[in-house]
Amino acid sequence: MIAFTVLIFGLAALALTILGAWLALLGGSPAYLILALAFWLTTYLLAKRRASALTVFALTIIGWLIFAVSQVGFFWWGLVPYGGIVVLLGIWLWLPFVRNRLWTYGLAQSDTPNRTPGLPIALSVLVAVVVAVYSMFQDPHDVAGNLPTQIVNEAPSTGNSIPDGEWHQYGRTNFGQRWSPLAEITPANIKDLTEAWRYQTGDVKLPNDVGETTYQVTPLKVGNKLYICTPHNLAIALDAKTGEEIWRYNAQSGMNPDRQHQTCRGVTYWDTRSQQPEPPAQTADTACITRVYMPTADARLIALDAETGEVCTSFADNGTLHLERGMPYNPAGYYYSTSPPSAVDGKLIIGGAVNDNFSIFSPSGVIRAFDINTGELLWNWDSGNPEETAPINIDQGETYTANSPNSWSVFSVDEERGLIYIPLGNQVPDQLGMGRSDAVEEHSSSIVALDINDGQKRWVFQTVHHDLWDMDVPAQPVLVDLTIDGASVPALVGPTKQGDIYVLNRETGEPILPVTEQPAPGGTIPEDFSAPTQPVSALSFNPEPLRESDMWGMSIFDQLMCRIEFNRLNYEGRYTPPSLNGSLIYPGNFGVFNWGSIAVDPERQVMFGMPTYLAFTSRLVPRADIPPKDAGATASEQGLNRNDGAPYGVVMGPFLSKLGIPCQAPPWGYVAGADVTTGDIAWKHKNGTVRDMTPLPLPFELGVPGIGGPMITKGGVAFLGAAVDDYLRGYDLTTGEVLWKARLPAGGQSTPMTYEQDGRQYVLIVAGGHGSVGTKPGDYVIAYTLPQ
């Protein structure tokens, strides 16, 4: 038994010596080398069967505990990698069948048990256990507080007028507030929510699907129908009371391994009777009075009769608008629309997703407005050629600017002011800024306000200068009228991947909450440059810069490897440029906020959001070092991005340990509430468990990553799925407390919505999983309501 113990301690000492020396040579903490020396001394004394090994290791445990607390405080999950193996080895030494085989100095060695005192090692283990138990009841990352409950605006503008019990656009209205005036469900009765019905679409993830096959749709509710789309582009209408299928349409969009995303976030509804002046007489489509428009993964936009699901053949080319027309390059799978277009003033206004980092010979990021009845092109705004908005002549071979910044998310509309707000991304390659035109430099990673009538730019606000990090503006901006110093101010609230939330005057683009320019790191490759400063909003969920002490693991060894990797990477805080050596990007391009956006209560003028914190790495690869493309490979935003035509590719992905878990310590995901008139963050709580991240269904609440969006109601509750455990949760909007949760049959990476039918309020979520975050795939639509 002693020989086995010596072997274990010797191997641990050897590993700590090698890894600790490596870390120290990189400029990291020498503490692991000191720990290695303590392990060697313990190993030596054990080999000599000296009882003093127990005292030495007891002191080692106490010293290491002091170091651990100095690094992470009394945070239990932070202490786990420090204490796990060390304390377990201490317990092993304390066991009588080990310690009683040791002998005291001066006594003859004997195989007879000596009843060696175990008090020193027992006391050290006891102290470690007491610290661990105390830490279990501490939450150093929690921010407790209350959002204001006062109704600031009793009759707020919520955008286009719709019945209180309906949900007509992706964010309920064109303002994108994700707020419902329904109030039947409250913090007092939410515990009674039960499942009313569930429906399965039959559209499931296929073996040859791309990695990011996801179900992100937010259904629309108009009249007594719900309208949804599915990842493989089925459009379906359901009965809002029972969930029974009314009709379905299959766009037959096929499969393509070069699509980075196989998803559909929603459809667009339009009632032609709402149009002023009256639309032209419908000849072939007299039945298509109300319509549903669905974008597809093969770059089409299809018009359907909202009552029957039949194609509206008078729209565009026999019911189909071909969005690839006018593109200078059009490789199959490189361009498509994952988000629903905006319908306003008789126009369909749509952008499109361009594959990230495939090739510089890419489609344009043009924003286009089409006649909502006929599909005629009315104007086009191209961020690479922003002054010319008159329709190009596609039939005569005119094309848009290649590879201009695109908008793949959802737009917001202020019809009264005649403006549509576009969240813009970056030019491919995301990590290389050489050769960008002045127009691209101005519009990359920005929010742009365009005139609905002619597409002319009214203003632009850039959230990242010379973006080298894929910090697209990913989320639909929220429009809300804020009360500032007693006056009503038309505002736009724009969440970003880097964690800043910009509160702007939506008429002018000027900041309402202060925005300052802060120094940013330099150190790009010689061919490129970085912006000397970057904007920072007064309302920000930007995390503190990572430190070596933030590195984590399930054991001391994988934690130590993460510390080594941290010191090997280039890192000078937010906006560290990509490099040949490899750079740490934090927040990563997964985003603090992503397409799920935030929800804003226009009466209380507060927000509910889900900030997520995951570091990524970015390493540039010279063109000569990029291997040929593997046969059968499917598109992905992680791993090697080839950037064909550019001098460098890039290897990117989350910053993970050798065990495949994040190198940075949890929490990785929160829910948070803030006052959008002042920028004050009232509360911030970790969100979600590791139940579906580990082989065992462990309910530990670490605060897990998520992707998806929230919804809030006048009743004072917020709803959110999104986290990588499979739950839909209901929260108290004022405090952030979880009041209710329902177990989902698949990942809930979509934004829930709420509606009323026959006098009852329903909460609905689509549960279908998300390929790149690894949640369980499915095809479920589930509605909840209070008992009658």
Side-chain angles (χ1 to χ4, degrees), residues 19-32 67 71 82 546-552 558-572 576 579 581-584 617 655 663:
L19 297 176
W22 191 359
L23 177 63
L25 288 172
L26 291 169
S29 172
Y32 294 84
F67 173 72
Q71 296 288 285
Y82 293 94
L546 289 174
R547 305 162 299 170
E548 184 188 313
S549 58
D550 293 317
M551 297 302 101
W552 194 65
D558 58 308
Q559 180 204 39
L560 186 44
M561 288 295 296
C562 283
R563 283 190 176 233
I564 289 169
E565 194 62 22
F566 176 82
N567 283 280
R568 292 179 65 196
L569 293 167
N570 293 8
Y571 182 62
E572 298 179 53
T576 299
S579 62
N581 176 66
S583 296
L584 189 60
T617 60
F655 183 34
C663 266

Side-chain angles (χ1 to χ4, degrees), residues 636-775:
S636 174
E637 291 185 321
Q638 299 181 18
L640 175 63
N641 287 220
R642 304 181 64 82
N643 290 337
D644 289 341
Y648 299 92
V650 60
V651 174
M652 52 191 290
F655 183 34
L656 302 179
S657 75
K658 300 302 181 184
L659 298 180
I661 60 175
C663 266
Q664 69 192 87
W668 307 299
Y670 293 84
V671 287
D675 186 325
V676 292
T677 65
T678 64
D680 295 332
I681 297 172
W683 52 261
K684 185 178 176 185
H685 310 310
K686 63 180 183 287
N687 185 59
T689 70
V690 296
R691 171 169 178 162
D692 297 298
M693 295 178 69
T694 58
L696 297 175
L698 303 173
F700 301 139
E701 189 177 358
L702 267 72
V704 297
I707 190 164
M711 174 270 293
I712 58 181
T713 73
K714 186 181 175 70
V717 293
F719 291 91
L720 176 72
V724 295
D725 60 353
D726 299 336
Y727 287 98
L728 172 65
R729 292 179 170 87
Y731 306 79
D732 187 315
L733 177 60
T734 301
T735 66
E737 177 189 359
V738 177
L739 303 173
W740 169 88
K741 64 181 180 180
R743 182 74 176 156
L744 298 173
Q749 281 68 56
S750 64
T751 302
M753 51 83 76
T754 187
Y755 64 92
E756 185 179 71
Q757 185 64 40
D758 296 339
R760 302 178 71 188
Q761 183 180 355
Y762 293 79
V763 173
L764 185 147
I765 189 169
V766 168
H770 193 288
S772 62
V773 300
T775 51

Side-chain angles (χ1 to χ4, degrees), residues 60-70 79 82 124 127-129 131-132:
T60 300
I61 292 174
I62 296 299
W64 191 243
L65 179 63
I66 293 170
F67 173 72
V69 171
S70 74
L79 292 172
Y82 293 94
S124 67
V127 170
V129 170
V131 169

Side-chain angles (χ1 to χ4, degrees), residues 268-391:
T268 301
Y269 176 84
W270 180 255
D271 187 338
T272 61
R273 294 166 297 189
S274 66
Q275 189 172 335
Q276 299 294 330
E278 291 293 323
Q282 303 296 301
T283 54
D285 284 329
T286 53
C288 287
I289 296 171
T290 57
R291 300 182 176 194
V292 168
Y293 296 87
M294 179 175 66
T296 69
D298 57 352
R300 291 177 292 155
L301 183 65
I302 301 173
L304 304 172
D305 187 315
E307 291 299 313
T308 66
E310 297 294 322
V311 174
C312 298
T313 55
S314 66
F315 176 75
D317 179 12
N318 204 34
T320 297
L321 191 62
H322 297 278
L323 298 174
E324 77 280 4
R325 297 192 72 222
M327 294 298 173
Y329 302 103
N330 186 37
Y334 278 44
Y335 182 83
Y336 38 84
S337 183
T338 57
S339 297
S342 292
V344 57
D345 190 33
K347 301 176 181 68
L348 279 172
I349 305 176
I350 190 169
V354 176
N355 280 352
D356 277 340
N357 306 330
F358 265 42
S359 171
I360 64 172
F361 307 107
S362 288
S364 176
V366 63
I367 311 299
R368 288 171 284 185
F370 298 93
D371 184 288
I372 204 163
N373 297 295
T374 68
E376 177 190 357
L377 179 63
L378 301 177
W379 55 256
N380 35 234
W381 183 81
D382 182 349
S383 57
N385 183 25
E387 304 306 321
E388 300 294 331
T389 64

